[in-house]
Amino acid sequence: MVTNSVQCGWQFHVVRDELCWLVFSMESYSRYSIVMPYVLKPDWNEIARDFDALWLEHMLAWFRMGGFVRTDAQIAEVVRQFNTKPIAECHRNLDMSINGHLADAKLWLEAYKRDVKPRLFDSEHAWHFCEMLNQETKRVNKQRRKSAEFVPLERFLYDNLYRYAKGLCDGPIPGTKEGDFPNPHKQGPDLRLV
């Protein structure tokens, strides 16, 4: 599973909690997590609909907080660009590197519930938990180098600015079309037959 400049991959896990069902979703490039609680076990259509709405909600919240969008017209443009994304394709794929981060997220959730002691893990708790989780430093393939560390929120922000805020950048960025944010994904070399 991969996210690059032309596609975005999310992995979903449905987990039965003590009092509810939880859907953990994690994006493959940023390792950004969105957690959705349900009273009853959700079906895929419900998950897909709710996930799209939450992805947009998370994105807009961070865009506003970072000052990347400030007006109703800018918000409407982000929503328009988001709504033009291709229809999701679903594949059964359990990416092992993402599974490790999801396992860590489940442990963080248990710690969160021990500390906060919510009666019911609802959407407000899910939002607060995701906010905390997505600001924790992660490592690429458990490497110990400082350069291998990243913060999911930062990667999520850069990737979504590139995808859904075209034309909204205030200043010029070298190597990027005026008004656009840079592509955070590495560009591979052009391959040519010799």
Side-chain angles (χ1 to χ4, degrees):
M1 187 171 71
V2 68
T3 291
N4 55 35
S5 58
V6 295
Q7 73 179 24
C8 190
W10 289 83
Q11 186 161 314
F12 293 82
H13 286 249
V14 179
V15 178
R16 179 72 172 126
D17 194 43
E18 299 150 358
L19 300 172
C20 63
W21 291 88
L22 296 173
V23 177
F24 283 84
S25 53
M26 185 172 286
E27 193 272 318
S28 66
Y29 166 69
S30 65
R31 302 307 198 255
Y32 190 87
S33 298
I34 295 176
V35 178
M36 300 178 292
Y38 293 91
V39 174
L40 301 173
K41 186 176 182 179
D43 65 20
W44 173 246
N45 291 329
E46 188 177 8
I47 292 170
R49 181 191 65 240
D50 294 345
F51 171 74
D52 253 13
L54 267 175
W55 178 4
L56 181 60
E57 190 177 332
H58 278 243
M59 183 175 48
L60 286 173
W62 292 117
F63 282 9
R64 279 184 249 166
M65 194 177 300
F68 297 104
V69 295
R70 295 171 299 284
T71 67
D72 290 342
Q74 289 173 322
I75 292 168
E77 179 58 20
V78 170
V79 171
R80 186 195 68 74
Q81 290 181 34
F82 182 80
N83 288 332
T84 63
K85 71 184 180 334
I87 295 173
E89 292 181 25
C90 302
H91 304 277
R92 186 173 178 83
N93 176 32
L94 300 176
D95 185 315
M96 295 311 286
S97 66
I98 293 176
N99 278 349
H101 289 287
L102 282 166
D104 290 347
K106 291 173 192 170
L107 292 174
W108 278 94
L109 177 63
E110 292 308 315
Y112 174 86
K113 288 182 354 188
R114 274 194 310 274
D115 293 345
V116 176
K117 296 178 180 44
R119 276 187 358 174
L120 180 65
F121 190 80
D122 59 13
S123 58
E124 186 176 325
H125 287 290
W127 184 274
H128 184 257
F129 171 69
C130 289
E131 193 174 42
M132 177 194 73
L133 180 66
N134 289 315
Q135 294 182 62
E136 290 294 324
T137 302
K138 304 263 189 216
R139 284 195 167 84
V140 177
N141 298 328
K142 303 291 183 196
Q143 295 177 9
R144 299 205 185 276
R145 295 185 337 257
K146 194 75 169 162
S147 64
E149 293 180 349
F150 63 93
V151 175
L153 170 59
E154 291 173 1
R155 283 188 170 187
F156 175 78
L157 184 63
Y158 298 144
D159 180 66
N160 284 282
L161 283 168
Y162 163 72
R163 284 180 205 287
Y164 306 116
K166 293 190 185 314
L168 299 178
C169 184
D170 291 335
I173 298 174
T176 304
K177 181 181 167 191
E178 188 175 335
D180 288 355
F181 291 91
N183 182 347
H185 304 284
K186 294 178 182 175
Q187 298 295 319
D190 288 335
L191 300 176
R192 297 186 183 111
L193 287 176
V194 180

